[in-house]
Amino acid sequence: MTATAASIGYSTLLKKGDGGSPEAFTDYGLEITSIDVTGVSRSAIDATHMASPNGYTEMIFGIKTQKPFNVEVNWVPTNTAAYQALLEGSAGNWRVQFPDNSTVTVYAGITDVSPATATPDGKLSCAFTFTPSGKATWA
């Protein structure tokens, strides 16, 4: 039996590219509490016809789409510069850097923001949804 290679997500970062060549990525210093990294979906198109074998549905598979991903952060009201940079920035390359320094980079724009929710005994948090365009690059 071999030991697991699994790791925890502690110290995962979200960085924004500057569009340069080579591209430099900035960490906004957000207190990230979760990132659900982009996945991929693909359409399934029904191609069944009157003589489909054994009376079963036949499918053909269409174009792939990078799924939107969400980032949740602790809302720190005094960190307005970081939040403004996220909200006002145009679409661009976003990079998730994992603890082992592997990365996934995807061209995306922020398409939804759920601002801080305040309760008497609850942590202030904020969630951002990023919608990708094109294929993510894993490195």
Side-chain angles (χ1 to χ4, degrees):
M1 180 183 276
T2 59
T4 183
S7 64
I8 62 173
Y10 179 77
S11 77
T12 297
L13 302 172
L14 175 69
K15 298 179 176 185
K16 173 77 164 61
D18 65 2
S21 181
E23 191 162 27
F25 286 84
T26 300
D27 174 7
Y28 285 108
L30 299 171
E31 293 184 11
I32 297 170
T33 57
S34 70
I35 299 177
D36 63 349
V37 179
T38 186
V40 178
S41 65
R42 176 181 251 178
S43 58
I45 302 153
D46 189 338
T48 309
H49 53 87
M50 295 300 182
S52 288
N54 302 308
Y56 277 85
T57 302
E58 292 185 84
M59 304 300 284
I60 57 174
F61 300 96
I63 295 173
K64 298 175 285 289
T65 301
Q66 287 292 147
K67 293 181 181 180
F69 63 99
N70 299 299
V71 177
E72 187 170 316
V73 300
N74 287 333
W75 183 258
V76 180
T78 57
N79 194 2
T80 57
Y83 299 113
Q84 286 303 317
L86 284 170
L87 294 173
E88 294 172 3
S90 60
N93 285 325
W94 291 89
R95 176 172 285 169
V96 177
Q97 181 177 320
F98 299 100
D100 65 357
N101 287 320
S102 63
T103 62
V104 60
T105 304
V106 64
Y107 184 86
I110 297 172
T111 54
D112 190 68
V113 178
S114 298
T117 300
T119 61
D121 193 27
K123 175 184 74 160
L124 294 175
S125 64
C126 183
F128 297 90
T129 300
F130 294 79
T131 300
S133 178
K135 181 181 178 182
T137 303
W138 292 81

